[in-house]
Amino acid sequence: MTNGREGHGGHAHSPAHSHPHSHPGGDQELDWAAMADHLERAGEITLASLTETAQWLGDLLAERGTRVRRVLDVGSGPGVAACVFAGAFPGAEVVAVDGSEPLLERAALRAAGAGVEAERFRTLRVDLPEDFGALGGADLIWSSRAVHHLGDQQDALNRLAGSLRDGGLLAVAEGGLPMRFLPRDFGLGRPGLEARIDAVNGEWFTVMRSELPGAVAVVEDWPAMLRRAGLTPAGSRTFLTDLQAPVDGTVRDYLHAHLSRVREVLGTELDEDDVPVLDALLDDGSPHGVRRRPDLFFLTATTVHTAVRSAR
């Protein structure tokens, strides 16, 4: 179930993935080892908002007097968020959970490089939904852009809620606003390219969801879904990443990879006249290319929904 995605540092879902995590189940469609650099770069770009998110979650837990002893990052990818949580909760064991062994290896290396004590950081490879029972109990469960890659999203929340200890918090990053990085009219082709890509991507996402094993349609009212999972909603909050033009090379490299994936996966579905525009944006030798143009920025918003487990 690792259908190419990145998580919060989240952004609009796309086959090119605007968020930095992978999925917690196995998937043969993508080479996650090859994608690791791209995923980690995406996490670095949104690191400030992710750190702010961890602080907010810590405050919610502190208000309830919950001692955080174990944190699960379900769909951890290369471990950007897991390492942030290790820093935010210095007394807790943090477990990076994913379906890709190469990405879990990258997560372990990242944690070691960040100075996280080996006894506090571990990895766990799972295939979900089959392996939900292997997660064990936790005081904080974080899942970014992973639940929507399981056919039955409500069941996934039910199972995650079942792993929460009394007073524990489940936080799911699902939703927000599409990523933006170009002016509406950037001097090539018809204005509004990003909006047209969003429309095609929306159709792609609908088909992707419908083809998942055990797919169940549900109104994606996340607080209501968390309530049905037996939890008490504790609030939703949207975190912004706003990098003004001109952006640095890391952002440019990320956006180049993002557009390359859009071109590869969605190219046949886009308007005919939009394809050469994408090619121009990907041309490293052109002043119109994303690696050179001075008007490139980076703006996205990720919404995090939270709920707590009352004492049983």
Side-chain angles (χ1 to χ4, degrees):
M1 184 208 75
T2 322
N3 284 345
R5 63 116 193 163
E6 298 133 48
H8 173 51
H11 321 318
H13 188 285
S14 96
H17 291 95
S18 310
H19 24 280
H21 302 204
S22 119
H23 296 292
D27 178 351
Q28 304 307 313
E29 294 180 13
L30 286 179
D31 180 351
W32 285 108
M35 285 285 287
D37 287 341
H38 178 63
L39 297 174
E40 197 159 9
R41 187 180 296 122
E44 294 285 354
I45 291 169
T46 58
L47 193 59
S49 66
L50 184 55
T51 301
E52 185 182 1
T53 302
Q55 178 63 55
W56 177 57
L57 299 179
D59 290 344
L60 290 176
L61 287 158
E63 288 171 7
R64 289 159 177 79
T66 301
R67 179 181 167 222
V68 180
R69 297 156 293 169
R70 190 167 188 259
V71 178
L72 295 174
D73 178 1
V74 181
S76 65
V80 178
C83 288
V84 168
F85 289 126
F89 302 99
E93 176 193 52
V94 177
V95 185
V97 181
D98 204 275
S100 165
E101 194 61 47
L103 289 185
L104 290 175
E105 291 171 3
R106 179 71 70 96
L109 288 173
R110 183 178 180 89
V116 181
E117 303 92 329
E119 63 272 16
R120 282 210 308 122
F121 193 93
R122 55 182 291 254
T123 62
L124 177 64
R125 188 195 176 283
V126 299
D127 289 314
L128 299 182
E130 294 83 1
D131 294 338
F132 268 118
L135 298 181
D139 306 292
L140 171 62
I141 299 176
W142 166 259
S143 184
S144 176
R145 301 296 202 269
V147 171
H148 67 224
H149 273 279
L150 290 166
D152 190 337
Q153 297 178 102
Q154 184 63 61
D155 178 69
L157 293 181
N158 297 347
R159 305 285 289 276
L160 290 173
S163 288
L164 279 181
R165 295 167 174 162
D166 289 351
L169 183 76
L170 172 59
V172 291
E174 294 284 355
L177 294 174
M179 179 172 65
R180 287 290 180 267
F181 50 92
L182 287 164
R184 185 192 68 88
D185 187 341
F186 55 91
L188 291 174
R190 288 187 296 129
L193 173 66
E194 288 181 307
R196 292 192 295 278
I197 291 175
D198 287 345
V200 174
N201 181 64
E203 290 300 317
W204 175 90
F205 184 81
T206 297
V207 172
M208 181 278 295
R209 281 278 320 145
S210 70
E211 293 179 347
L212 290 173
V216 176
V218 64
V219 175
E220 291 173 349
D221 178 347
W222 295 97
M225 293 167 71
L226 290 167
R227 192 177 289 110
R228 287 197 295 273
L231 305 179
T232 301
S236 299
R237 183 171 165 185
T238 299
F239 295 87
L240 186 69
T241 297
D242 182 7
L243 306 177
Q244 298 295 317
V247 293
D248 64 21
T250 298
V251 177
R252 293 177 185 277
D253 288 345
Y254 171 74
L255 292 174
H256 190 280
H258 167 76
L259 287 176
S260 296
R261 181 83 176 139
V262 168
R263 176 71 169 84
E264 175 189 353
V265 177
L266 300 180
T268 58
E269 306 300 322
L270 294 172
D271 289 355
E272 214 172 82
D273 55 353
D274 283 335
V275 175
V277 174
L278 272 178
D279 290 339
L281 289 169
L282 291 168
D283 185 353
D284 290 341
S286 168
H288 298 296
V290 293
R291 285 204 169 104
R292 296 180 62 184
R293 56 185 310 129
D295 57 358
L296 205 69
F297 59 93
F298 188 92
L299 177 66
T300 193
T302 296
T303 301
V304 180
H305 306 281
T306 65
V308 295
R309 164 70 69 191
S310 300
R312 288 170 280 190

